[in-house]
Amino acid sequence: MKIGILGTGNIGKTLTRRLSAAGHEVKVANSRGPETIEADVLSSGGRAVTAAEAVVDVDAVILSIPFDRIPQVAPLITKVPADTVVIDTSNYIPHRDSGIAAIEAGQPESVWAAKQLGRSIVKAWNSIGAESFAYRDKPAGSADRISLPVAADSPRERDLAMALVEDTGFDAFDAGPLAESWRQQPGTPAYCTDLTRHELPDALAAADAARSPKRRDLGFAVVQERFGAGVQPDAEYLVRLNRAICM
């Protein structure tokens, strides 16, 4: 497939490398310009372009940007054809994203994002930590392969995103419509707990809409107190923490 990726944070970098290595034609852009994208991000064949170029003539656009910047890219996405699949990987983080009232009132993050973009979207790759995503991929059929939920209202769009999730080294799990995507948001049992295909369904079912924001905030507070603002703990610590707080 032809894929455009907006964002070169930790998840965006791994997406670029992994999807290029899988044989897809990948263009990647960030907010600073193609000349700022490091060579290692392009080591598997990805091509650095401008944000405007990244969304042209592609089968899928993947947004791997801070959640509060989704409205800023909406003008670019409005130019994307209706049959192009738009996939969002981001998560709402209150202390970073300035407190979005609709989400604080309980609207699923991906539903809010779809409204900002004015189109249907898919939610995927948001439920795994950056280090687990970079280093814990497994070949298809591995018994301990991590499973990632994929939510979308369109079966066609969900199927395409699930195929791409498989190409990045993880089992894709059909998590239903966007309205149910809150079950894979921060603070839920499915978020950053590195579960297998057999474990994930029960984790999604056990999610508690009333308690998950409290658990999310507690998790972020523990990480900040332990490591300082802006520092990502290693995969083992993050998984143990989220399993202890959210499961």
Side-chain angles (χ1 to χ4, degrees):
M1 281 184 268
K2 296 180 179 179
I3 301 168
I5 298 175
L6 297 181
T8 54
N10 291 328
I11 298 294
K13 289 177 180 179
T14 301
L15 281 168
T16 301
R17 297 188 192 104
R18 205 68 61 69
L19 291 173
S20 299
H24 299 291
E25 184 179 323
V26 179
K27 298 185 289 185
V28 60
N30 62 18
S31 60
R32 302 182 305 279
E35 68 281 355
T36 67
I37 297 176
E38 300 94 331
D40 69 299
V41 179
L42 311 174
S43 59
S44 298
R47 182 162 60 94
V49 298
T50 66
E53 292 171 322
V55 301
V56 174
D57 188 29
V58 290
D59 301 300
V61 173
I62 302 175
L63 304 180
S64 190
I65 59 178
F67 190 78
D68 65 346
R69 294 185 188 172
I70 286 176
Q72 297 176 26
V73 302
L76 275 180
I77 301 303
T78 59
K79 301 174 184 178
V80 173
D83 61 350
T84 299
V85 177
V86 176
I87 306 171
D88 175 34
T89 75
S90 61
N91 291 300
Y92 171 64
I93 302 176
H95 65 266
R96 181 196 66 190
D97 298 330
S98 304
I100 299 172
I103 295 176
E104 293 291 343
Q107 185 176 61
E109 297 170 11
S110 53
V111 173
W112 181 88
K115 289 182 181 297
Q116 305 307 305
L117 298 172
R119 61 180 296 145
S120 64
I121 65 169
V122 182
K123 191 75 166 185
W125 291 297
N126 73 298
S127 63
I128 188 167
E131 187 173 304
S132 286
F133 188 44
Y135 300 112
R136 294 188 170 182
D137 56 305
K138 297 274 187 179
S142 300
D144 58 347
R145 199 184 199 208
I146 295 169
S147 186
L148 303 182
V150 179
D153 292 335
S154 162
R156 181 189 71 86
E157 295 180 356
R158 189 187 305 120
D159 288 348
L160 182 146
M162 289 179 68
L164 293 180
V165 167
E166 295 279 345
D167 284 345
T168 59
F170 300 87
D171 282 341
F173 182 82
D174 184 344
L178 282 185
E180 292 296 308
S181 63
W182 63 270
R183 295 180 182 276
Q184 64 197 71
Q185 291 176 183
T188 63
Y191 177 76
C192 289
T193 47
D194 287 6
L195 304 176
T196 66
R197 181 188 294 275
H198 299 294
E199 298 168 322
L200 184 59
D202 287 343
L204 290 168
D208 185 323
R211 298 179 68 183
S212 59
K214 300 173 186 177
R215 293 170 171 174
R216 172 200 66 201
D217 295 346
L218 176 59
F220 287 143
V222 169
V223 169
Q224 284 196 323
E225 191 277 334
R226 175 69 174 79
F227 297 97
V231 178
Q232 274 278 3
D234 63 43
E236 183 178 354
Y237 182 90
L238 187 63
V239 169
R240 283 193 289 110
L241 174 66
N242 281 291
R243 289 187 177 190
I245 291 175
C246 303
M247 295 185 73

